[in-house]
Amino acid sequence: MVSSGWCFLAAMIVAYGFANMLQSVAAARTTVHHTFDPGLLLRLAGHRTYLIGLLCQVTGFVLAFLARRDLPLFLVQASVAAGLGVTALLGVVVLKWRLPAAEVALLVLLFAGITALVLSAQPAPSKGLGTAGLVALAVALGGIGLLGFFAVRLHGAPGSVALGSLAGLAFSAAAVAARPLASAPSAEEFVRDPLLYLLIAHSLVGQLLLGLAMQRGSTTAAVAAMDAAGAVPAAIVGLLLLNDKIWPGREWLAAVGFLITLASVIGLTRYAAPQHHHTVTRPRERAMVGAVPRV
C-alpha cells in the first residue's frame, strides 16, 4: 500500500510547478525593486496571476508540510526542485519559452536524482528540535534578512542567484521547523509551539526574496538557486537531529541521488536562459515609473 506521504509529495511537485510559473509572470509585470521592501508583496498581490500562483504555492507548502510528517527532509526538499520540470514544461507550452539544450539535459538529470532519492528514503516520524534549535532558527531569520538587505542591490543573473539562494535558506529553515511541528499531538499544542511562528516568519521572508529574485532575469535560475541553497542545510539537520532515515544498504543511492540533484539545480543557475527582461530603474526614476499603469 502506498503511504499518504508519497501522494502528498507528488501533488506538491505539481503545485510548486504551477506556482513558479504564475508568480514569474506577475513578477515580470511589476517594477523592479532595488530595496529590501516588503511593499513588493503588496504590489504583486495586485496581480490576479500572482494571487493564483500564491494559492498554488500555499497548496504546495501544505502538501510539503504533510509529507514531512513521515518522509525525510533530504527527499522532500530535493523534490521541491522537481517543480522546476513542471514549470519548464508549462513555460514551453503556455508561454512559448525556449529552453536551451543544456537546460533540458539538466532537467532530465534532476528527475534522475529525485528518483534515486525516492528509492532510498525510509519513512520515519521526526524527533523534537529543542531549545537550541529554536534559537538557531531565530538567529538564522535575522541573518537571512540582513544578507537580503545587501543582496537586493545586485542586478541581472547575479541578483537572481543571490536572492534566490537566500530565499532557499529561508524556506530550508521553514522546512526544518515544519518536520517536528507536523507531528504535534493536538491542535492546541500545534498553535502554542514556537516553531509555528518561526515557520511563518521564514516563509514570509523567503517569499519576499523569491519575488525579488524572479524580477531580475531567469525564473529557472532564481528557483534553481533557491532549491540548491535550501536542500543541503535541511538534509544535514534532518539526518543529524530529526531522525531522517535511509533504507539500509541504500546509503550510496541516497548520496548519488542527492549529488546529482544538487549538481542539476546548480547547473540550471548557470545555463538557464532569461525568460523575461526588465528595464533597470534608477532610484531617481522610481517615482515616475510608479505612475505608469502596468499591464
Side-chain angles (χ1 to χ4, degrees), residues 34-37 142-155 158-159 162-163 166 209 212 216:
H34 302 286
T35 60
F36 190 60
D37 180 11
I144 292 169
L146 181 62
L147 291 173
F149 178 81
F150 293 103
V152 78
R153 302 175 185 179
L154 299 173
H155 308 301
L163 290 164
L166 289 173
L209 289 165
L212 290 165
R216 282 159 171 76

Side-chain angles (χ1 to χ4, degrees), residues 59-73:
T59 301
F61 180 85
V62 172
L63 291 166
F65 181 85
L66 295 172
R68 291 184 191 109
R69 181 180 180 90
D70 297 312
L71 299 180
L73 285 180

